[in-house]
């Protein structure tokens, strides 16, 4: 959120937390779940996004329904294509982060195709060309479960940033009532370890007081069916027990390196790889990261 907007909103949120914490908490939850979505898919015109979207051109596009709308999927089939009657190749799902889109995950496509995998990227709810105005963990898990069902069998999930929190929640079945997402392997790139920390940092940033923060977390519990503490990454990884690769940059300014260290503490089935100088987003385009993820997915 821009500094000017914060200077305006913080005093209002602080007052609201004192006199109407329930209302302030619900409003904060809506703000927390609403990405700064551009007015149209062509509104980003930078060279990086144009190049990334160009890599989506060969994909087979399909809208996949989930309980709250549809998400746009992009399917890449390995060559030679399987003949009719054969089972599909194992799928790798690419899951982008907050305020991003499928196009930014495309650096992984060709190396994974070359290894014989079917690759599916998709725009999460309220991102890219998918429907919706909000994204939270239950919405993300519902969308991921629908995509995993349509493109089964899923061999691996490669997730960036907030996409990692969604992947963990789906695999650990942390959202009651959602179908469990199944995968053999998980790669987390610049992913958070603690949704609790993110939530409380958000509350502090917008000026949410103690009572308002408590109301926000009650709202999360109500929507997600579990308290925010249930979405701690280390505990979820311990429950899942899948071979997991965690890649994180030492200079990540959006999510500190301690997130990666906390995830790696889940057990010996987690491999931690650190990078330096790639930050939170450029890490997705780095050759060494793409090569490491591909080797890990192959196993």
């Amino acid at each position: 959120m821009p500094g000017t907007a914060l200077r305006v909103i913080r005093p209002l949120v602080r007052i609201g937390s004192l006199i109407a914490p329930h209302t302030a908490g619900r409003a904060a939850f809506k703000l927390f779940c609403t990405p700064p979505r551009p007015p149209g898919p062509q509104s980003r015109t930078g060279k990086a996004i144009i190049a990334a979207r160009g890599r989506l051109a060969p994909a087979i596009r399909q809208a996949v329904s989930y309980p709250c709308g549809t998400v746009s999927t992009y399917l890449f089939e390995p060559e030679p294509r399987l003949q009719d009657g054969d089972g599909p190749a194992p799928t790798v799902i690419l899951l982008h982060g907050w305020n991003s889109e499928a196009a930014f995950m495309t650096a992984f496509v060709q190396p994974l195709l070359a290894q014989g995998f079917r690759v599916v990227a998709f725009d999460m709810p309220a991102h890219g060309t998918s429907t919706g105005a909000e994204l939270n963990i239950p919405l993300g898990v519902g969308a991921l479960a629908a995509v995993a069902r349509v493109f089964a069998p899923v061999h691996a999930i490669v997730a960036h940033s907030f996409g990692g929190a969604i992947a963990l929640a789906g695999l650990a079945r942390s959202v009651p009532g959602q179908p469990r997402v199944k995968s053999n392997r998980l790669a987390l790139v610049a992913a958070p370890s603690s949704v609790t920390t993110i939530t409380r940092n958000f509350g502090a940033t917008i000026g949410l007081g103690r009572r308002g923060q408590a109301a926000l977390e009650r709202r999360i519990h109500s929507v997600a069916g579990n308290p925010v503490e249930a979405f701690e990454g280390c505990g979820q990884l311990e429950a899942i027990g899948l071979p997991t690769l965690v890649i994180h940059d030492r200079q990540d300014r959006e999510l500190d390196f301690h997130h990666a260290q906390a995830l790696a503490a889940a057990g010996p089935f987690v491999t931690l790889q650190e990078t330096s100088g790639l930050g939170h987003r450029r890490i997705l385009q780095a050759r060494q990261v793409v090569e490491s993820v591909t080797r890990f997915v192959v196993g």
Side-chain angles (χ1 to χ4, degrees):
M1 184 178 294
T4 303
L6 274 176
R7 284 193 294 272
V8 172
I9 197 174
R10 281 176 65 94
L12 299 175
V13 172
R14 191 175 296 113
I15 293 170
S17 294
L18 289 171
I19 64 175
H22 176 74
T23 300
R26 291 179 70 92
F29 178 76
K30 184 172 181 63
L31 182 62
F32 185 59
C33 298
T34 304
R37 189 166 186 170
Q42 301 305 319
S43 59
R44 289 180 175 178
T45 56
K47 290 182 180 179
I49 185 59
I50 291 173
R53 285 180 177 149
R55 291 195 292 268
L56 287 177
I60 301 168
R61 304 188 180 210
Q62 178 180 342
V64 170
S65 296
Y66 76 107
C68 296
T70 61
V71 291
S72 301
T73 66
Y74 307 87
L75 169 65
F76 299 84
E77 291 276 15
E79 296 290 350
R81 294 179 183 274
L82 295 172
Q83 301 300 312
D84 291 342
D86 290 338
T91 298
V92 178
I93 295 178
L94 305 179
L95 192 58
H96 69 77
W98 183 262
N99 197 29
S100 186
E101 57 184 88
F104 285 113
M105 301 296 293
T106 50
F108 298 99
V109 170
Q110 289 304 321
L112 291 168
L113 286 178
Q115 295 297 324
F117 294 104
R118 187 170 58 159
V119 183
V120 176
F122 73 97
D123 294 326
M124 283 203 285
H127 290 72
T129 60
S130 293
T131 64
E134 297 181 15
L135 174 64
N136 53 43
I137 287 180
L139 288 171
V141 169
L144 174 59
V147 172
R149 182 180 65 252
V150 170
F151 297 104
V154 177
H155 174 71
I157 297 173
V158 179
H160 176 242
S161 192
F162 186 61
I166 289 172
L168 285 169
L171 290 164
R173 207 167 187 178
S174 301
V175 182
Q178 292 281 14
R180 184 174 183 176
V181 178
K182 296 181 180 180
S183 177
N184 299 325
R185 290 181 165 255
L186 174 64
L188 299 172
V189 182
S193 65
S194 174
V195 176
T196 303
T197 298
I198 292 172
T199 302
R200 292 175 184 173
N201 286 345
F202 169 79
T205 298
I206 65 171
L208 203 60
R210 180 180 57 82
R211 297 175 68 198
Q213 183 68 35
L216 167 60
E217 294 182 23
R218 286 196 298 271
R219 179 62 177 163
I220 291 172
H221 191 162
S222 174
V223 171
N226 258 326
V228 67
E229 292 83 4
F231 299 96
E232 295 302 286
C234 183
Q236 290 174 314
L237 271 180
E238 287 177 352
I240 298 164
L242 285 178
T244 302
L245 175 65
V246 174
I247 302 181
H248 212 106
D249 195 80
R250 281 282 183 181
Q251 284 76 50
D252 190 325
R253 294 183 178 180
E254 296 188 34
L255 289 172
D256 188 83
F257 190 74
H258 80 265
H259 284 278
Q261 293 170 313
L263 290 170
F269 54 88
V270 181
T271 300
L272 173 60
Q273 178 181 330
E274 66 177 79
T275 64
S276 181
L278 297 175
H280 188 70
R281 298 184 186 273
R282 286 188 297 115
I283 195 170
L284 291 173
Q285 311 304 321
R287 177 179 296 180
Q288 70 265 36
V289 172
V290 173
E291 290 175 350
S292 293
V293 168
T294 302
R295 285 194 301 268
F296 171 76
V297 168
V298 172

